[in-house]
Amino acid sequence: MAILVVGSVAFDALETPSGRRDRCLGGAATYFSLAASYFTPVRVIGVVGEDFGPDEEAVFARRKIDTRGIEHVTGKSFFWKGSYMKNLNEAQTLQTDLNVFQSFSPKIPHEYEDSEYLFLANIDPVLQEDVRRKMPKAKLVCGDTMNYWIKDHAENLARVLKLLDVLLINDTEVKMLAKDNNLVVAAGKVLDMGPKALVVKHGEYGATAFFCDRSFPNDAVTVPFRAPAMPLAEVVDPTGAGDSFAGGFFGYVASQPALTPAVFRRAMFYGSVMGSFAVERFGTERLEQLAPNEIEERFALFRQLSHLE
Amino acid sequence: MAILVVGSVAFDALETPSGRRDRCLGGAATYFSLAASYFTPVRVIGVVGEDFGPDEEAVFARRKIDTRGIEHVTGKSFFWKGSYMKNLNEAQTLQTDLNVFQSFSPKIPHEYEDSEYLFLANIDPVLQEDVRRKMPKAKLVCGDTMNYWIKDHAENLARVLKLLDVLLINDTEVKMLAKDNNLVVAAGKVLDMGPKALVVKHGEYGATAFFCDRSFPNDAVTVPFRAPAMPLAEVVDPTGAGDSFAGGFFGYVASQPALTPAVFRRAMFYGSVMGSFAVERFGTERLEQLAPNEIEERFALFRQLSHLE
């Protein structure tokens, strides 16, 4: 079934120990869409400027991603410049130009209204809430957020958390949101804020899912689940790893007839798989052209990496 | 089969966010022995002072650990005072009194000479090498080390590494030893230094085993293996978690007829299991009295935590 994602479509300038790029296609919605597109049809809502041309359009088109919800307006696209020279696990922001993204007001094309799966990428929680309320048919809603919204927009974010089935954020964000330094305690506090499940991304150490007691995805699950990350000899560019994880995770969920505990677990692995591909090249390069057998082979490798038998 | 462990037997003073203790039985050989004793007979070589009395002796005796190799000398036992108030993942050393440990010269009782499994806990690599050479019948040798030996005793340590089957150290130590910040690259460099396998302990994120290409434990294994750690709502005292991991790991290996890849993987899980118990109480309190079914139940929980089916 189709996923609708709302979030940023951007250009990034990047420097990492492996090299530098002045202009890569980026943005959370872009990484998410590409990763999810290997599992299910994807529809995007975002906004771009005049610098978003046929080359960028083609990246989405080749993966059959529906871009009718990407609004084109006068001005420049969201631009972000980041460096990983000091720390591959944490980007240092050198420049952020919101440009056309500053006045982003998501509009839902009529053709998108029947989307049953909704991903609210990291944007203003006011916009996240607005989109969720305009999509009453969405039966499963996942979302992301970041330190900026947690710190300075807590009330708005609190309303969004009550509307989410699954929240996907990283260790630091969970602890900041819960105001607690123990991951398990913090996860419990975040689940009390609304989401039925919480997926905590640990970067090179994988990700852990925590479930609330209110029987989601079904009565059987209360134990957390940990998916490993792939030990990689070179991380070329960590940008978009988290959004690619979310795309693999939610894309796989949306491709299945029902969200069982087994599907949730496999989705965690597919999230890690897509994250591991994303960081192998600069920008979206690797995610743009994966062969289906590459995905299944890496999934098998993740199983070998973590399973006793 | 019996494991011989050589290392420190000590008293610790500890402060953690959960409380403080002025005097706990501690030391790497102590934690290792207790953890391993649930799987296989254990023999200890170490040195203690006059403060090591019947109460401490009884802790080993209750777990049927052979302490004939613990030398009693005039003076005080090794004493360490540490704090985890700032960071539960890294001890801050407040005081170290080597005392009788300063002139520790391991003597191998005649009755220990047939030990087929040898664990060289974190002590001076010169002593590690000496013990290994005096134990020609040991068919499997595991070892630990720390930043102090890596930085200032590199040549001595290099000789030990060539004598090890499995080296068990943490992320920081691997990267320091290899002089490389990427875990996979660093692991490869460490394996080039001698050990046939490398187990990297990641604290709350579990542990990863890397294998050299020289067919250990057999031709089938080259892919790394990652065991998760238990997400815990309270870490009362992290002291000894790594040594308890080593004890669970090596104890299980020594209890099995042969070291197959499947045994290695299960051993990693038992390592994580014993590490997870160790941190639940101060000092060795939790490891002193585990019921066998508690170990198997937690092993099952680790499987649920990490396995797709």
Side-chain angles (χ1 to χ4, degrees):
Chain A
M1 300 294 298
I3 295 181
L4 170 57
V5 49
V6 52
S8 60
V9 176
F11 289 103
D12 293 339
L14 306 159
E15 57 178 32
T16 84
S18 302
R20 53 191 302 151
R21 294 289 185 277
D22 291 332
R23 189 175 186 269
C24 285
L25 180 60
T30 306
Y31 280 102
F32 178 93
S33 301
L34 288 170
S37 73
Y38 290 91
F39 301 92
T40 205
V42 182
R43 300 157 169 180
V44 190
I45 291 179
V47 61
V48 294
E50 292 144 305
D51 47 1
F52 186 94
D55 287 354
E56 289 74 32
E57 189 60 59
V59 170
F60 290 87
R62 279 196 295 269
R63 293 295 322 143
K64 298 190 173 33
I65 296 164
D66 188 335
T67 56
R68 285 176 291 180
I70 298 185
E71 197 182 351
H72 293 252
V73 303
T74 306
K76 284 176 120 182
S77 301
F78 186 176
F79 174 78
W80 178 76
K81 186 174 181 177
S83 172
Y84 300 90
M85 297 307 280
K86 284 187 188 161
N87 184 352
L88 261 177
N89 294 311
E90 202 183 334
Q92 188 190 358
T93 293
L94 302 177
Q95 191 179 335
T96 305
D97 301 335
L98 291 176
N99 298 327
V100 300
F101 198 67
Q102 182 126 38
S103 47
F104 178 40
S105 170
K107 292 166 198 67
I108 299 164
H110 178 64
E111 302 88 341
Y112 282 14
E113 282 169 6
D114 62 349
S115 311
E116 293 187 5
Y117 295 85
L118 174 61
F119 186 73
L120 304 168
N122 167 34
I123 54 172
D124 186 335
V126 170
L127 301 182
Q128 291 180 313
E129 185 186 3
D130 178 57
V131 170
R132 202 285 167 255
R133 298 213 182 273
K134 285 177 180 157
M135 294 289 299
K137 289 184 189 158
K139 65 174 188 184
L140 202 70
V141 186
C142 294
D144 187 9
T145 191
M146 70 183 290
N147 51 5
Y148 175 72
W149 309 115
I150 294 170
K151 274 200 289 200
D152 299 333
H153 295 73
E155 282 182 35
N156 296 339
L157 182 59
R159 289 198 306 278
V160 174
L161 294 180
K162 292 191 202 308
L163 304 172
L164 291 182
D165 293 294
V166 185
L167 174 67
L168 297 101
I169 52 181
N170 67 33
D171 287 68
T172 313
E173 290 156 355
V174 172
K175 291 172 181 178
M176 185 184 286
L177 186 53
K179 298 186 177 67
D180 197 294
N181 256 327
N182 176 286
L183 182 64
V184 178
V185 176
K189 289 184 178 179
V190 170
L191 288 172
D192 285 342
M193 297 176 192
K196 295 174 188 151
L198 168 68
V199 174
V200 187
K201 295 170 283 182
H202 311 306
E204 64 171 317
Y205 296 117
T208 307
F210 295 90
F211 303 93
C212 71
D213 298 327
R214 286 166 292 160
S215 61
F216 175 86
N218 81 0
D219 289 326
V221 180
T222 46
V223 175
F225 181 70
R226 182 162 287 178
M230 194 75 214
L232 292 168
E234 189 185 17
V235 172
V236 171
D237 171 19
T239 312
D243 298 310
S244 304
F245 180 100
F249 170 83
F250 206 29
Y252 179 72
V253 167
S255 77
Q256 298 298 301
L259 179 50
T260 64
V263 165
F264 200 106
R265 287 167 172 242
R266 291 178 65 89
M268 293 281 289
F269 268 54
Y270 279 113
S272 275
V273 163
M274 300 312 284
S276 76
F277 282 125
V279 304
E280 287 183 349
R281 301 270 187 287
F282 274 98
T284 57
E285 205 180 303
R286 188 77 173 99
L287 288 185
E288 287 178 26
Q289 32 199 343
L290 285 165
N293 69 312
E294 287 185 292
I295 295 175
E296 290 313 311
E297 279 166 19
R298 186 150 299 181
F299 186 93
L301 210 56
F302 269 80
R303 181 191 284 271
Q304 253 190 292
L305 175 71
S306 58
H307 280 49
L308 291 167
E309 293 87 23
Chain B
M1 301 295 296
I3 296 181
L4 170 57
V5 51
V6 53
S8 59
V9 177
F11 289 104
D12 294 338
L14 305 160
E15 55 176 33
T16 83
S18 303
R20 53 190 304 150
R21 293 288 183 280
D22 290 334
R23 191 176 184 266
C24 286
L25 181 61
T30 306
Y31 281 103
F32 178 93
S33 302
L34 288 170
S37 73
Y38 290 92
F39 302 93
T40 205
V42 182
R43 301 156 168 180
V44 191
I45 292 179
V47 62
V48 294
E50 293 144 305
D51 48 359
F52 185 94
D55 288 352
E56 288 74 31
E57 189 59 59
V59 170
F60 290 88
R62 279 195 296 268
R63 294 295 321 143
K64 297 188 173 32
I65 297 164
D66 188 335
T67 56
R68 285 177 289 180
I70 298 185
E71 198 182 350
H72 292 252
V73 303
T74 307
K76 286 177 120 180
S77 302
F78 186 177
F79 174 78
W80 178 76
K81 185 174 180 177
S83 172
Y84 300 91
M85 297 306 280
K86 285 185 186 160
N87 185 352
L88 261 177
N89 293 310
E90 203 183 332
Q92 188 190 359
T93 292
L94 302 176
Q95 190 179 336
T96 304
D97 301 336
L98 290 176
N99 298 328
V100 300
F101 198 67
Q102 182 127 38
S103 47
F104 179 38
S105 170
K107 292 165 198 68
I108 298 164
H110 178 64
E111 302 88 341
Y112 283 14
E113 282 171 5
D114 62 348
S115 311
E116 292 187 7
Y117 295 85
L118 175 61
F119 186 73
L120 305 167
N122 168 34
I123 54 172
D124 186 335
V126 170
L127 302 181
Q128 291 179 314
E129 185 185 4
D130 179 55
V131 172
R132 201 284 166 253
R133 297 212 183 273
K134 286 176 179 157
M135 294 289 298
K137 288 183 189 160
K139 67 175 188 183
L140 202 69
V141 186
C142 295
D144 187 10
T145 191
M146 70 183 290
N147 50 7
Y148 175 73
W149 309 114
I150 294 170
K151 274 200 287 199
D152 298 334
H153 296 73
E155 281 181 35
N156 296 341
L157 182 59
R159 290 200 306 279
V160 174
L161 295 179
K162 292 190 202 313
L163 304 172
L164 292 182
D165 293 296
V166 184
L167 174 66
L168 296 100
I169 50 180
N170 68 32
D171 286 71
T172 312
E173 291 156 354
V174 172
K175 291 172 182 178
M176 186 186 283
L177 186 53
K179 299 185 176 70
D180 197 297
N181 255 326
N182 176 285
L183 181 65
V184 178
V185 175
K189 289 184 178 179
V190 170
L191 287 172
D192 285 342
M193 297 175 191
K196 294 174 188 151
L198 169 67
V199 174
V200 186
K201 295 169 284 181
H202 310 308
E204 63 171 320
Y205 297 118
T208 308
F210 295 91
F211 304 93
C212 71
D213 298 328
R214 287 164 293 156
S215 58
F216 175 86
N218 82 0
D219 290 327
V221 180
T222 45
V223 175
F225 181 68
R226 180 161 288 180
M230 194 76 213
L232 292 169
E234 189 185 16
V235 172
V236 171
D237 172 17
T239 311
D243 297 309
S244 305
F245 180 101
F249 170 83
F250 207 28
Y252 179 73
V253 167
S255 76
Q256 298 298 300
L259 179 51
T260 64
V263 166
F264 201 105
R265 286 167 174 244
R266 291 177 66 88
M268 292 280 291
F269 268 55
Y270 280 112
S272 276
V273 163
M274 300 313 284
S276 76
F277 283 124
V279 304
E280 287 183 349
R281 301 272 187 286
F282 273 96
T284 56
E285 205 179 305
R286 188 78 172 99
L287 288 185
E288 287 179 26
Q289 32 199 347
L290 285 166
N293 70 312
E294 286 184 294
I295 295 175
E296 290 314 312
E297 278 166 18
R298 185 150 302 179
F299 187 94
L301 210 55
F302 269 81
R303 181 192 282 272
Q304 251 191 295
L305 176 70
S306 58
H307 280 49
L308 291 168
E309 294 87 23

